[in-house]
Amino acid sequence: GIVQEKSQPTVIPLRTLPPLLYGKGHAYAIPFTGSGTAASLKALAAAALRRFMTDFIRPDNMKILVAGDTTLGQIIPQLNAAFGGWKAPASKLPLKNIGMVAPPAQVRVYLIDRPGAQQSLILAGSLAPSTEAPNNLEIQTMNGAFGGSFTSRLNMNLREGKHWAYGAFSFLSNAKGQRPFLLYAPVQTDKTAASVAEMLKEAKGVIGDKPLTAQEISKIKVGDVRSMPGGYQTTSAVMGALQGIALYNRPDDYVQMLKSRIEAQSDASVEAAAKEIIHPRRLTWVIVGDLKTIEAPIRALKLGDVRVLDADGQPAAETAKAAK
């Protein structure tokens, strides 16, 4: 599976960017795909798997969530019968390193060669506050308007305006620690550098002389509210809401209060979220494409230090030297 991932230009940056963003030793410095690395898989032994179970799958590190056609009166005796005798191990719960990571001093650009590729994959990232941030809703609304929806600025520029990409978006995944804020665009090869320039222009504009408008913000808020009734129709969707409450220390009435909280967001608070999250001078770019075509135009942008990596995220020069 990892070999297959490393052959797909759309997936390669998802593997290589996290270690660049978080640095060695951080718990999140692993491929976003969740597949790990060949070296880590080869090193796995049965004892390590058993140790993980003892370390983390334990009653003092567990919340049991139940969604379905049942009641507390019915389910508690069944849970007690199954788990009532479960004892925590004597060992302490290990702490994962999800500590704060300082932003890079300057923009970093990494290129990965896919000879003959008809399009390039652009992925740029920086670190944003945890999902537990008090203004998480404002951050989500800002992202929706900037790059998280079809009518967002990034997509309307690169897809609808320039016709250089099938889609250009920004993403925020959930995390207990700092989470990645990502800009993503698969673009035609000869427009790679120009697309990077346009993405940068949009990022600078939204925190500068072109802040989000009241109409852009309202569209996201209205859409989020209108999607709510359909968001809790299945048992798995209800369970997903419970998981969010449990994982990110949300109040028990989070869902009941969500509509009013979405509507209460002010334009100023959403604009403030943009300035908190979007930092064009801190971005780390990973661009996969035909190096002989894209390297010179990207270097001409003079964004910062440009380096060439292989599909494992290692310096290409060192890989070539080792192969000889």
Side-chain angles (χ1 to χ4, degrees), residues 4-280:
Q4 187 179 44
E5 286 180 2
K6 287 160 58 177
S7 71
Q8 300 173 4
T10 55
V11 180
I12 291 172
L14 297 177
R15 295 188 55 82
T16 55
L17 183 57
L20 299 172
L21 287 179
Y22 288 101
K24 190 174 182 180
H26 196 284
Y28 296 168
I30 55 177
F32 286 138
T33 59
S35 58
T37 65
S40 65
L41 287 177
K42 289 176 182 176
L44 277 181
L49 300 178
R50 285 193 291 268
R51 187 166 60 250
F52 173 84
M53 295 294 292
T54 303
D55 284 345
F56 292 102
I57 312 301
R58 46 197 282 173
D60 56 344
N61 190 40
M62 186 74 64
K63 292 180 181 178
I64 296 177
L65 309 176
V66 180
D69 184 15
T70 189
T71 64
L72 277 176
Q74 291 175 318
I75 200 68
I76 292 296
Q78 297 176 50
L79 293 175
N80 281 337
F83 298 107
W86 192 12
K87 304 296 183 184
S91 59
K92 289 185 177 181
L93 184 68
L95 294 177
K96 293 184 179 180
N97 175 19
I98 57 171
M100 292 289 290
V101 177
Q106 60 184 13
V107 173
R108 300 175 295 177
V109 182
Y110 297 94
L111 307 180
I112 299 175
D113 190 17
R114 296 295 294 174
Q118 296 302 303
Q119 70 173 17
S120 300
L121 194 288
I122 302 170
L123 188 68
S126 61
L127 296 183
S130 162
T131 300
E132 294 181 346
N135 64 337
N136 183 55
L137 275 182
E138 286 80 2
I139 291 171
Q140 295 288 356
T141 299
M142 175 280 298
N143 180 64
F146 174 69
S149 61
F150 186 87
T151 58
S152 67
R153 289 192 179 184
L154 283 179
N155 197 54
M156 294 303 287
N157 183 336
L158 290 180
R159 176 188 163 114
E160 298 300 287
K162 300 289 193 300
H163 310 298
W164 294 346
Y166 286 114
F169 298 99
S170 61
F171 299 93
L172 275 161
S173 58
N174 289 316
K176 295 281 287 184
Q178 287 169 292
R179 52 186 164 158
F181 173 65
L182 304 176
L183 310 181
Y184 166 90
V187 302
Q188 63 189 67
T189 298
D190 63 335
K191 298 299 183 183
T192 303
S195 297
V196 170
E198 287 298 317
M199 294 166 79
L200 262 180
K201 183 187 79 172
E202 295 293 354
K204 291 176 179 177
V206 78
I207 60 171
D209 61 0
K210 196 180 176 184
L212 294 172
T213 66
Q215 183 179 12
E216 287 176 302
I217 294 170
S218 176
K219 179 184 288 188
I220 300 300
K221 289 163 61 176
V222 169
D224 287 346
V225 168
R226 289 179 176 175
S227 68
M228 285 184 67
Y232 305 101
Q233 289 186 330
T234 66
T235 304
S236 61
V238 173
M239 176 57 76
L242 291 178
Q243 288 173 325
I245 289 171
L247 281 171
Y248 304 115
N249 297 309
R250 293 168 174 164
D252 289 345
D253 63 354
Y254 179 82
V255 172
Q256 290 88 336
M257 298 300 296
L258 187 54
K259 176 179 180 290
S260 61
R261 290 186 61 220
I262 291 173
E263 294 172 336
Q265 297 172 93
S266 68
D267 292 354
S269 65
V270 176
E271 290 174 12
K275 293 179 179 178
E276 179 185 5
I277 302 302
I278 300 176
H279 297 281

